[in-house]
Amino acid sequence: MIPGHPHPGELVLDAPTRRLCDDIAAGGRGPVRLAVIAPGGYGKSALLDLLADGPGARRHRRGLAAEAGLVLVDDAHLLTDAALAEVAELAADDRVGLVVAARPWPRPAGLTSVLARLRGQIVLRPFDRDRVAACLRLSGEPADADAVLGLTGGVPGLVQRLAPHRGEVGAALEDFRFDIDRLDRDARRVLVAAEAGVAELPPGLLARPVAEVVAEVRSGGLTAPDGALLPVAGAAVRALVPAEERAEALAALAAARLAAGGPVAATAVALLEAGASGQAVAELFAAAARESEPDVAVRLYAAAAAEGYEVDQVGWAEAEVRACDPAAALRRVDGLIAHGTGGERGRAAAVAGAALAHRGQLARSAELYSWGGGAVSAAFAAIGHVGAGRLAEARAALADAGDAPPTVYAGAVTATARGLIDSLDTRAEATAAAVSTVVHAAEAVEPLGSAALLPDSPAAIAAIMAMHGGDPTAADPVLGRAVAAGVGGAPLAARHRLLRGWAAMVAGDEAAASAAIDPRHGPAEGRDAVFAAGLAVGVARRGSDIGALRRCWDEACAALARQPVDLFTLLPLGELAVAAARLGDRDRVAAQTAAARELLAALGDPPLWTTVPHWNALHADLLADDPDAAVAHAEALRAAADAGPVTAALADAARVWLQVVGGSVDRAAVEAAARALHAAGLRWDGARLAGQAAIRTPDRAAMVGLLECARGLQGPAATPAPDAAGEPARLSEREQQVAGLVLAGMTYRQIGDKLFISAKTVEHHMARMRSRLGAGSRAELLSRLRDLVRA
């Protein structure tokens, strides 16, 4: 013992237990009857050593006569029946104090009889950090107490094994060899399973009862109270159990789990992480893949195949689609479609159809769904054909579908296809009913969550239809429910999020729109990349941020070029067409806009789907200074005005906008049209119309009124921020807005467009702020403004 340090045994005890032992050793409590039950390594023997220093204390031995004093019995779980009978006699003598220490297992009947005569228990607890640190100091080899505590769980014996080795596990492993070598095959299998992370052992794995063997292992002091193997013990098992024995134990575990039936995923994942191998393990992996989350299933299929097991290739490909890797899935099923068996080919075609749809290739997706057969595939084929502008093929696909089991899933998919076809009608009541049909289908599939492999979700289609119909507020709830239910799983999560962002942007909530394309979500892929690009462009354009618009323009064009134009990408295409006109770069989107016109013409120019494209094209032509082309789009909107209130509102707004651009501002007509746009869900457009009219009218009263209308439609103004000292800012509300936009890098013209004021007025605000703040230069003014305006 190092001079000046406490007795090693005392480190085992916390303060209450130490005081109890001091009282017992001093005889202050009279004859005691106490048990000390704890796994190996918790310090039972050290505790008895401490008590043995007291007067009258005796170690138990065979033939010990009963007399006053304190008898200490160690390792009582190992005593013979005859020895336990003697201890029971001592316990029956009121003159004799008795402290019996034992592990929780084994528990012979004689020991149970002895424990029943005792009156209390001394509880030994693991070390806390302070006692770990004290033990390490006592060893004379300082180590990281937190690290040692994490490795050992604070089990005193394990801490003391690491202490001489400065907490280095590798140097202490040989100290565990006896613990492992003394165990039989069953106990070692339990240790190997625990090291692999398998919490529940199947019947048939062990020759002895599982509960008995587990109790034996836990009594050894190598596990935490919940039975998990402590890290230092896990390292010992990995190092000291021979590799062939470990492999055999894991293979036996896999076989037993399969034979037991029931869910196998948890065991399979644990064995996968443990690097298990062999045919039984591979069979377990393949079985578990069918019940696992997609990313885990892909790993399980791969591991099973690596062992030479013949896995379900279509199931593997479906897991890859669900794990957002459609390219890998397409590579896997391509050969199966050409050379697989009958049923396998149909399944492979459905997986390929879903993968292609997620990559934005609707025409090819529809062909594969049609070829694969089945009523559900026929409905998906019809949806793809409509999206690709092939109405006749869509109707034929549904007509040839045949009967399907009346499941909720089949009914919802079929209803979505029929609703989509009905949305091509020219009658307002028909299109309204079509949207309602698809919304109801979206609600029907919500209970399925991610269980079905969907090329697209009814919720996404319903939302796109609602936004084309001028009702973004109807889009968000159906998308929100799909997100909450996890409809379609990971492949559709980004689509739902981006569509919610689009609805927010159209409704004037640019912050929510920006959140949908936050870089932390990761890059968008396939068709989602077009919506992400459209959102980025749309937010920049609505914020009059020409710098941001230019920065995202090339990426947006690249995303658009990678994707075929279809019915479901007309929203971002229209936004990009307007931005292209703003940037003077219309050639970059000319081919796509022409393809969109052809697609809509092939579908009969349905009002529900053509209204928003005509509206966007009108503004693109106005920005490109092509009024004749803009008039053509206005005429197209007027011709379809009877298709519904939204179409009527856009038609009237187009007429008024052309008048404003031509220099004729009728305040009442402008306000009516702007408010109608706002009511139709196009809030930014409504505010923009009123603002553009205000800066073009020579009538001062009309200008003021229209600016007030624009501000009201735009939403509440920003609240002024306090200065750094917490005092009220010395800028007016309007000056706060102007200052914030200047600091954001906008030009006076961009700020004027944003706030519906002239560039000259912005300049006037800046001059007045410079004078009020006493700034001697523009740089000094900007510095002071930064102190007054929140970032």
Side-chain angles (χ1 to χ4, degrees):
M1 186 173 70
I2 300 174
H5 285 272
H7 187 287
E10 294 183 16
L11 292 175
V12 178
L13 308 178
D14 54 24
T17 307
R18 188 193 309 275
R19 288 193 296 270
L20 173 63
C21 291
D22 288 344
D23 287 347
I24 293 171
R29 291 180 174 262
V32 295
R33 299 283 195 279
L34 297 173
V36 187
I37 308 298
Y42 272 69
K44 298 182 297 296
S45 296
L47 171 67
L48 296 186
D49 288 343
L50 189 64
L51 295 176
D53 290 341
R58 297 174 291 163
R59 297 280 187 175
H60 174 261
R61 62 182 185 277
R62 290 296 304 274
L64 184 68
E67 59 183 67
L70 178 64
V71 177
L72 307 174
V73 183
D74 201 1
D75 290 333
H77 57 286
L78 300 179
L79 296 180
T80 64
D81 290 342
L84 288 170
E86 288 185 0
V87 175
E89 291 177 6
L90 292 173
D93 191 330
D94 291 338
R95 299 172 303 161
V96 179
L98 186 62
V99 177
V100 178
R103 291 186 180 185
W105 186 94
R107 182 63 63 85
L111 178 57
T112 300
S113 177
V114 169
L115 295 177
R117 295 173 179 266
L118 305 182
R119 300 170 186 158
Q121 182 172 343
I122 299 176
V123 178
L124 297 179
R125 300 177 178 84
F127 285 171
D128 56 18
R129 185 192 181 284
D130 289 342
R131 285 192 286 161
V132 168
C135 184
L136 295 174
R137 287 195 301 271
L138 185 63
S139 71
E141 297 288 345
D144 185 338
D146 290 317
V148 172
L149 180 60
L151 289 167
T152 64
V155 174
L158 300 183
V159 174
Q160 290 168 353
R161 290 188 190 187
L162 287 184
H165 304 288
R166 304 176 62 87
E168 294 293 334
V169 174
L173 289 179
E174 276 301 320
D175 295 342
F176 291 84
R177 186 172 294 280
F178 174 75
D179 300 84
I180 293 174
D181 287 348
R182 69 182 179 83
L183 298 174
D184 66 9
R185 189 190 74 159
D186 281 350
R188 288 156 72 97
R189 279 189 171 183
V190 169
L191 279 178
V192 169
E195 186 273 326
V198 178
E200 183 180 351
L201 300 178
L205 175 65
L206 308 178
R208 292 189 284 149
V210 171
E212 176 184 314
V213 183
V214 169
E216 176 186 351
V217 170
R218 291 188 179 186
S219 289
L222 300 179
T223 66
D226 63 358
L229 201 63
L230 293 168
V232 66
V237 172
R238 287 191 296 275
L240 301 177
V241 174
E244 60 275 12
E245 181 182 346
R246 182 175 183 273
E248 185 275 333
L250 294 179
L253 176 59
R257 173 51 66 203
L258 283 169
V264 299
T267 300
V269 171
L271 296 187
L272 180 66
E273 298 296 340
S277 60
Q279 281 300 296
V281 173
E283 184 179 357
L284 180 73
F285 288 166
R290 294 189 288 272
E291 62 184 62
S292 299
E293 292 298 314
D295 54 341
V296 176
V298 169
R299 295 176 59 209
L300 289 168
Y301 277 123
E307 292 295 320
Y309 189 81
E310 187 174 346
V311 302
D312 177 7
Q313 293 289 325
V314 179
W316 190 352
E318 180 173 337
E320 287 171 327
V321 176
R322 292 175 182 273
C324 301
D325 192 357
L330 288 170
R331 289 192 297 270
R332 191 169 308 286
V333 297
D334 197 53
L336 296 175
I337 293 172
H339 307 295
T341 62
E344 186 179 56
R345 295 173 77 189
R347 290 175 57 218
V351 171
L356 287 167
H358 289 300
R359 290 167 67 89
Q361 300 177 40
L362 289 187
R364 181 63 179 144
S365 170
E367 290 170 0
L368 281 162
Y369 273 120
S370 294
W371 182 83
V376 171
S377 286
F380 284 140
I383 293 170
H385 281 311
V386 172
R390 301 171 175 178
L391 181 55
E393 289 89 337
R395 287 176 170 153
L398 279 184
D400 296 340
D403 294 330
T407 63
V408 171
Y409 175 53
V413 174
T414 302
T416 301
R418 295 194 185 282
L420 186 58
I421 291 174
D422 290 344
S423 74
L424 306 176
D425 203 305
T426 58
R427 296 168 299 157
E429 62 273 18
T431 56
V435 174
S436 179
T437 295
V438 182
V439 168
H440 291 156
E443 293 174 346
V445 300
E446 286 168 15
L448 299 178
S450 62
L453 178 62
L454 299 172
D456 206 347
S457 74
I461 294 172
I464 291 172
M465 291 169 66
M467 286 187 281
H468 270 278
D471 193 4
T473 57
D476 188 72
V478 69
L479 290 168
R481 290 193 300 271
V483 169
V487 171
L492 287 174
R495 185 158 177 78
H496 293 151
R497 183 187 73 251
L498 291 168
L499 285 172
R500 292 186 83 181
W502 198 276
M505 180 180 72
V506 173
D509 188 350
E510 295 172 26
S514 297
I517 51 174
D518 189 306
R520 287 173 292 186
H521 293 302
E525 302 290 343
R527 62 188 175 189
D528 295 334
V530 178
F531 269 96
L535 270 175
V537 165
V539 170
R541 185 171 72 87
R542 284 162 176 76
S544 299
D545 190 343
I546 194 70
L549 186 58
R550 291 189 186 280
R551 286 193 296 273
C552 64
W553 179 240
D554 286 340
E555 184 177 347
C557 290
L560 186 61
R562 289 192 296 268
Q563 294 298 307
V565 172
D566 62 55
L567 190 66
F568 307 127
T569 57
L570 296 181
L571 292 173
L573 175 57
E575 187 64 45
L576 295 179
V578 176
R582 177 73 181 272
L583 295 172
D585 199 12
R586 299 186 81 182
D587 288 345
R588 299 279 291 276
V589 299
Q592 287 82 6
T593 53
R597 287 194 297 271
E598 292 174 3
L599 184 147
L600 289 169
L603 294 174
D605 285 322
L608 176 70
W609 295 97
T610 57
T611 299
V612 171
H614 278 307
W615 177 255
N616 286 328
L618 168 85
H619 288 284
D621 289 335
L622 289 176
L623 285 169
D625 197 21
D626 189 353
D628 292 338
V631 168
H633 291 296
E635 286 297 320
L637 289 170
R638 184 189 62 78
D642 294 338
V646 173
T647 309
L650 288 174
D652 186 56
R655 176 185 61 82
V656 171
W657 211 303
L658 286 173
Q659 291 174 349
V660 169
V661 172
S664 176
V665 178
D666 181 335
R667 175 184 172 183
V670 169
E671 289 192 2
R675 296 188 190 282
L677 286 175
H678 189 276
L682 301 173
R683 298 176 184 175
W684 183 82
D685 295 82
R688 183 75 171 168
L689 172 57
Q692 288 293 303
I695 63 177
R696 283 176 167 81
T697 180
D699 186 330
R700 175 73 180 176
M703 179 191 71
V704 172
L706 288 170
L707 284 175
E708 288 301 320
C709 175
R711 291 167 188 151
L713 296 178
Q714 186 183 38
T719 303
D723 64 17
E727 297 297 326
R730 292 179 288 168
L731 301 181
S732 69
E733 181 175 330
R734 175 61 78 190
E735 288 168 343
Q736 283 277 338
Q737 293 175 313
V738 170
L741 296 175
V742 167
L743 292 174
M746 289 189 181
T747 65
Y748 289 175
R749 180 177 177 181
Q750 290 169 347
I751 295 170
D753 287 344
K754 176 77 173 176
L755 301 179
F756 307 110
I757 57 179
S758 69
K760 193 69 175 177
T761 302
V762 176
E763 184 179 0
H764 172 71
H765 281 304
M766 291 296 290
R768 187 165 60 180
M769 286 188 284
R770 179 171 176 176
S771 174
R772 183 178 302 168
L773 298 177
S777 65
R778 178 177 172 83
E780 185 179 355
L781 172 61
L782 294 179
S783 176
R784 295 191 180 184
L785 289 178
R786 289 189 186 96
D787 293 333
L788 292 171
V789 179
R790 288 180 295 189

